[in-house]
Amino acid sequence: MVSFLLKVWQIDQTCLFELTWQSHHTMSAKIAYPETLTTLYRQWQTAYLNFYRSSLRARPGASLSLAQPTIDWRAKLVQAEAVFLAEFHHWLNSADLIEIRREIAQAASQEPQVKLYIRCDSLEMVKLPWESWQLGTEFGILNPIRILRTSARLQTTATRSTRRWKPRILVILGDDTGLDFQAEKEAVVKLKHFAEIRFKGWRSNRSTTDLKTEICQAIAEPQGWDILFFAGHSNETNITGGELAIAPNTSILVSEIAQYLKTAQERGLQFAIFNSCNGSTIAEQFINFGLNQVAVMREPIHNQVAKEFLLQFLEHLENYEDVETAMLLASQSLKVQSNLTYPSAYLIPSLFSHPQAQPFRLKKIGLRQILERWKPTRLEAFGLGMLAVVSSLLPVQSWLIDGRQYGQAVYRSMTAQVPSAQVPPVLLVQVDEESLQKGKVDILNQNLDRQYLAKLVNQSVALKASVIGIDYLLFRHQPSGDPVLAKALATAVQRSGTQFVFAAKLEEMQSPPKWIKALPELANPQWRIDGDMDLLGDPAFYARVIGDTDGQTEVLPLSYELVRLQARASRAYQWDTRSQYSPISQGAASIGQMWFHPLIDYTIPPNQVYQAIPAWKLLETTQLPQINAQMVLITPGGHLDAGIKPGEDNFKSPQAFNYWQEGAPKMTGGEIHAYLVHNLLNHRLIIPVPDLWMIGVATLLGKGTAILLGQRRARWFLIMPVFYAVISLQLYITISVLIPIVFPALTYWMYFLTMRSQRNA
């Protein structure tokens, strides 16, 4: 497509024609302006006004009272039109302009579409019917050359196309004195399937001041508009840019609504149509504001002609034609089909256009168009890629889980949703440094003296403990202590029916992997139960679940065995589905992710999870009333030698644990086992929804919000993540699901930021 700009300047009786194309090519010519052209125009105008003397969409004036019933004004109008157009075309086809015409025709012979923008410096030149110029016919050019108009004082850039789901149309119905807008209303309403339509206009119960305020506020509405349509009486003015009759005896000047129109242009207003009279100065002013296209009637227009034109125009717009094509076809329809009824009417409509603008059209809402609207921009794709990569890093996920559980603990406390006090399910017997010193106990090769361990077992049995877990790996021999511990264990089983769970560990460095268990001399295979003591990570956020290692067909996690025994169930005990390794988690593990792998809930206060007692104090205690409802877990209490390797059993405390137990930078493996026991008993294993999945959801919501609302309701981009965060915090408590907050919120906000950057570009 090639575009030309033709400037026409009138200086006295001379007109200067200057043709510009491809930014740097120019050609000019001078031609005398024939005075007879003005005379013939006025004669044609007089005949036109008299023929259409009733129901004109202009304020009544002296020029409209010239009719004489005995004169055949139709015949006079047809004759005046023929003479006027003949003179006009003769002038434009003069030899002085042949080079300009040839240049345009040559482009039309090579390009499928050529546009010629006419820019005139005076209202007298603007009034001439430039659209009737048959350019190229003398050179045998068949492709029609589109003739458009533009402003003589063009200063702003064109409106950028908005990416709305549906175009928005603001319809302003002005003073209807002597007019009938019903047909136009029905024609506009037919577009409701393609666009969102809003009507504003005069009502008898509204003051004119309120009406002006309502119209101005509607024009500058934050949601923005794509099309502005006005029907009613109007007129052109030289200084104020035109006036629109919005109510009987009340007009609003274009200069009065200038700031609102500029705001509307910034928010996406692209096209305006004024189905009213004398709109040339109105169109120029709107193009100066930066609108892409403005359709107006240059002369007074008969009410019925205005209806016919609008019906034709909207019909073509409804068929997804652009406004240039719709304007051309609607005008041709007036010329070909309605010229006998409405002579000269086809000469009245004009389309003013910004030279930089793409012609507006309604967009089809099919699958392809939907996908195109949802297609991410380069900036959005980059942002999504970065968020997806960062969210997939396991250290980042652990950091977010840590912060999230801290926030959950605070939220529980602030909303008074801490579980009611109950008997802690675990009595945690902690062999701490003080116990080792008071009992004069040695740690031999990282093994607790088994004679001391036997004392703890005997005392627990004496206090009526029914389930005892030993969180010590008893795989090395202690000649002096093994017989004592073996006797204590056997006596407890035979006399009290106490059940024991011994710590075990899968040695994965061996090939094939081998289980390290308590010595067979210590426990009879007929009643011994081994439990996997391993924990995941440091801090240990992820829970051990059934089936997360191949060896668990033989050994369940330690906390699971404690729960099973406490429930007095068989090994066929049906666990909560959350406690078992899911296929999704298994598939995620193959790509280095922890999707849907359950989390330990540290947002519960420790005093409701376990009752901690140092080992030395247990040995001195004569009564523990709650022990019948508890399982005893004998575990290292934080001493430096704990673990197979020194210090291995001391873990970094999650922030949520620190919230309840301030000043505890470390927590023991026994405390983690206790939390897992509590979670299993209360069905509190937390299922984390993957960040990457929620980024996908936030992408759909963010893109959808940008498409549907755009800048007009930008506050939703700021408010929605807050509502989402509160809902996510509550779902964690009510249904034990952790829905990520940070990355989805960043994704959602990213669409707001990219939308603003595109808008400001």
Side-chain angles (χ1 to χ4, degrees):
M1 186 192 74
V2 176
S3 295
F4 292 89
L5 175 61
L6 181 62
K7 302 176 184 177
V8 183
W9 310 118
Q10 184 179 12
I11 305 173
D12 295 328
Q13 296 303 310
T14 302
C15 285
L16 174 64
F17 285 70
E18 183 180 270
L19 186 68
T20 305
W21 69 101
Q22 295 180 355
S23 301
H24 58 281
H25 294 290
T26 60
M27 179 183 296
S28 62
K30 287 183 179 181
I31 182 174
Y33 178 74
E35 189 64 31
T36 55
L37 189 57
T38 300
T39 302
L40 293 174
Y41 164 74
R42 290 173 180 169
Q43 290 175 357
W44 168 82
Q45 187 184 50
T46 299
Y48 174 85
L49 294 175
N50 279 281
F51 178 74
Y52 294 105
R53 60 185 176 271
S54 63
S55 299
L56 288 172
R57 294 194 171 188
R59 292 297 192 189
S63 62
L64 304 183
S65 61
L66 302 175
Q68 299 179 23
T70 58
I71 300 177
D72 185 357
W73 285 109
R74 184 190 181 286
K76 283 187 171 294
L77 176 56
V78 173
Q79 183 177 6
E81 175 192 329
V83 176
F84 169 51
L85 290 182
E87 180 65 20
F88 180 55
H89 294 156
H90 176 73
W91 178 56
L92 292 178
N93 292 329
S94 64
D96 295 322
L97 298 178
I98 190 170
E99 292 301 324
I100 289 178
R101 298 196 303 273
R102 180 181 288 114
E103 186 65 40
I104 298 172
Q106 184 177 353
S109 66
Q110 300 172 354
E111 297 288 337
Q113 187 179 88
V114 172
K115 294 183 181 181
L116 176 64
Y117 292 89
I118 305 289
R119 177 184 291 180
C120 302
D121 72 331
S122 66
L123 187 58
E124 185 176 5
M125 289 291 105
V126 172
K127 287 288 189 180
L128 296 176
W130 294 95
E131 291 84 356
S132 67
W133 190 3
Q134 300 298 318
L135 264 172
T137 54
E138 63 182 307
F139 300 102
I141 301 300
L142 299 178
N143 292 336
I145 297 169
R146 291 193 175 182
I147 298 178
L148 307 167
R149 297 170 184 256
T150 191
S151 172
R153 297 179 297 278
L154 194 62
Q155 296 177 350
T156 58
T157 57
T159 302
R160 295 186 60 178
S161 176
T162 54
R163 303 180 71 180
R164 306 187 212 275
W165 173 246
K166 275 188 175 183
R168 304 186 76 238
I169 303 175
L170 175 60
V171 180
I172 300 176
L173 301 177
D175 178 16
D176 60 355
T177 302
L179 306 177
D180 180 12
F181 297 145
Q182 187 58 37
E184 287 159 297
K185 287 182 183 178
E186 293 175 357
V188 174
V189 169
K190 286 177 62 179
L191 298 177
K192 65 181 180 180
H193 300 296
F194 308 90
E196 178 184 342
I197 303 168
R198 183 87 57 82
F199 286 90
K200 294 291 180 181
W202 175 73
R203 298 188 300 275
S204 58
N205 60 346
R206 295 295 302 276
S207 69
T208 55
T209 301
D210 290 343
L211 177 59
K212 286 185 178 182
T213 301
E214 182 182 350
I215 289 174
C216 291
Q217 290 177 348
I219 291 173
E221 192 171 287
Q223 291 92 327
W225 305 99
D226 295 279
I227 300 176
L228 172 63
F229 170 65
F230 174 81
H233 299 291
S234 70
N235 218 333
E236 55 198 7
T237 59
N238 291 328
I239 298 176
T240 60
E243 61 178 356
L244 307 174
I246 57 174
N249 304 313
T250 303
S251 295
I252 190 169
L253 302 176
V254 173
S255 58
E256 291 183 280
I257 60 175
Q259 188 57 48
Y260 302 98
L261 289 170
K262 289 179 181 177
T263 302
Q265 183 266 336
E266 292 170 358
R267 291 172 176 169
L269 182 60
Q270 301 178 62
F271 174 61
I273 178 169
F274 291 85
N275 211 19
S276 57
C277 299
N278 300 326
S280 298
T281 58
I282 297 174
E284 292 220 7
Q285 193 73 1
F286 271 61
I287 294 297
N288 288 339
F289 292 150
L291 262 69
N292 291 353
Q293 290 96 23
V294 182
V296 296
M297 306 299 167
R298 299 189 321 280
E299 301 285 350
I301 188 75
H302 189 273
N303 186 50
Q304 194 60 35
V305 175
K307 293 179 185 178
E308 290 286 338
F309 170 80
L310 184 67
L311 292 174
Q312 290 291 329
F313 179 84
L314 293 182
E315 182 180 339
H316 295 298
L317 205 62
E318 188 178 349
N319 291 329
Y320 303 107
E321 301 284 0
D322 61 55
V323 293
E324 293 178 4
T325 304
M327 192 78 175
L328 178 63
L329 294 176
S331 298
Q332 286 180 350
S333 177
L334 289 177
K335 180 178 181 180
V336 175
Q337 299 178 15
S338 305
N339 197 42
L340 291 176
T341 308
Y342 306 115
S344 288
Y346 74 97
L347 296 175
I348 309 305
S350 286
L351 182 66
F352 286 72
S353 180
H354 197 295
Q356 299 173 358
Q358 292 295 321
F360 177 80
R361 74 169 75 224
L362 295 175
K363 296 180 179 178
K364 294 182 179 179
I365 308 179
L367 179 60
R368 181 177 178 182
Q369 287 71 32
I370 293 174
L371 294 177
E372 184 65 27
R373 290 176 66 83
W374 284 85
K375 181 180 178 181
T377 64
R378 294 179 65 180
L379 189 60
E380 290 168 352
F382 175 78
L384 287 174
M386 291 296 296
L387 290 170
V389 170
V390 174
S391 71
S392 299
L393 301 176
L394 291 182
V396 174
Q397 294 178 18
S398 296
W399 177 76
L400 289 173
I401 291 170
D402 195 11
R404 172 60 182 280
Q405 289 205 339
Y406 175 81
Q408 285 289 161
V410 175
Y411 179 76
R412 272 189 185 276
S413 179
M414 292 179 63
T415 58
Q417 296 188 77
V418 179
S420 57
Q422 57 183 353
V423 176
V426 177
L427 177 66
L428 204 61
V429 179
Q430 296 178 317
V431 182
D432 56 6
E433 287 288 348
E434 187 177 4
S435 298
L436 295 175
Q437 292 175 8
K438 286 188 175 184
K440 298 180 180 180
V441 179
D442 292 329
I443 300 295
L444 306 174
N445 297 322
Q446 281 75 55
N447 277 261
L448 179 68
D449 186 344
R450 295 195 183 143
Q451 295 184 47
Y452 186 74
L453 187 56
K455 292 180 181 180
L456 297 177
V457 169
N458 290 331
Q459 181 67 358
S460 299
V461 173
L463 293 171
K464 310 299 184 182
S466 58
V467 176
I468 299 175
I470 300 177
D471 190 22
Y472 280 93
L473 200 57
L474 308 176
F475 69 102
R476 292 192 179 101
H477 289 279
Q478 279 189 14
S480 60
D482 287 349
V484 178
L485 178 58
K487 181 179 179 182
L489 294 170
T491 301
V493 172
Q494 293 169 5
R495 295 182 179 179
S496 304
T498 306
Q499 299 181 82
F500 289 90
V501 179
F502 298 92
K505 180 178 176 62
L506 182 65
E507 183 54 63
E508 296 179 348
M509 299 300 293
Q510 298 186 21
S511 182
K514 181 181 179 182
W515 281 101
I516 301 175
K517 302 179 181 179
L519 295 170
E521 295 88 342
L522 296 177
N524 191 313
Q526 294 181 353
W527 51 262
R528 68 177 288 164
I529 298 174
D530 299 300
D532 187 357
M533 67 183 299
D534 267 351
L535 298 168
L536 299 178
D538 185 10
F541 295 116
Y542 293 99
R544 290 302 304 274
V545 291
I546 300 173
D548 62 355
T549 63
D550 292 337
Q552 282 188 351
T553 55
E554 179 182 351
V555 180
L556 293 180
L558 175 66
S559 52
Y560 285 69
E561 290 289 10
L562 289 171
V563 170
R564 186 179 64 82
L565 293 178
Q566 185 71 6
R568 297 291 193 272
S570 66
R571 189 169 288 275
Y573 177 73
Q574 295 297 315
W575 298 100
D576 185 349
T577 55
R578 298 187 178 203
S579 63
Q580 303 186 37
Y581 203 43
S582 69
I584 296 178
S585 298
Q586 187 173 6
S590 65
I591 57 174
Q593 296 298 303
M594 302 290 284
W595 293 351
F596 293 102
H597 193 116
L599 301 172
I600 301 173
D601 184 8
Y602 290 110
T603 68
I604 309 297
N607 60 9
Q608 296 192 32
V609 174
Y610 57 83
Q611 178 185 356
I613 183 172
W616 68 266
K617 191 171 184 178
L618 176 74
L619 296 175
E620 297 177 1
T621 300
T622 59
Q623 187 176 6
L624 283 173
Q626 301 179 143
I627 199 170
N628 283 330
Q630 296 175 309
M631 57 197 82
V632 175
L633 182 59
I634 302 173
T635 180
H639 61 82
L640 299 178
D641 301 286
I644 296 178
K645 298 178 181 178
E648 191 178 32
D649 195 57
N650 298 322
F651 293 80
K652 182 180 177 181
S653 297
Q655 293 186 56
F657 183 81
N658 286 336
Y659 176 78
W660 300 113
Q661 192 150 317
E662 190 174 349
K666 293 288 184 179
M667 69 185 304
T668 66
E671 290 172 319
I672 297 173
H673 286 305
Y675 262 97
L676 189 49
V677 166
H678 177 275
N679 288 180
L680 290 169
L681 288 173
N682 293 277
H683 303 289
R684 283 301 305 171
L685 286 179
I686 305 298
I687 298 299
V689 178
D691 283 86
L692 191 61
W693 290 29
M694 292 309 298
I695 286 175
V697 173
T699 297
L700 297 176
L701 292 176
K703 189 71 171 181
T705 306
I707 291 173
L708 292 175
L709 301 181
Q711 293 249 42
R712 62 184 184 272
R713 292 181 185 170
R715 64 182 180 274
W716 282 102
F717 277 99
L718 305 178
I719 295 175
M720 286 296 289
V722 176
F723 286 119
Y724 168 81
V726 173
I727 293 172
S728 177
L729 290 168
Q730 190 58 42
L731 289 177
Y732 183 101
I733 294 175
T734 55
I735 62 173
S736 305
V737 172
L738 187 150
I739 301 177
I741 294 176
V742 175
F743 277 105
L746 290 176
T747 303
Y748 192 79
W749 280 328
M750 179 199 70
Y751 282 95
F752 171 71
L753 296 175
T754 55
M755 181 182 66
R756 287 182 63 90
S757 66
Q758 292 165 9
R759 183 70 179 168
N760 297 328

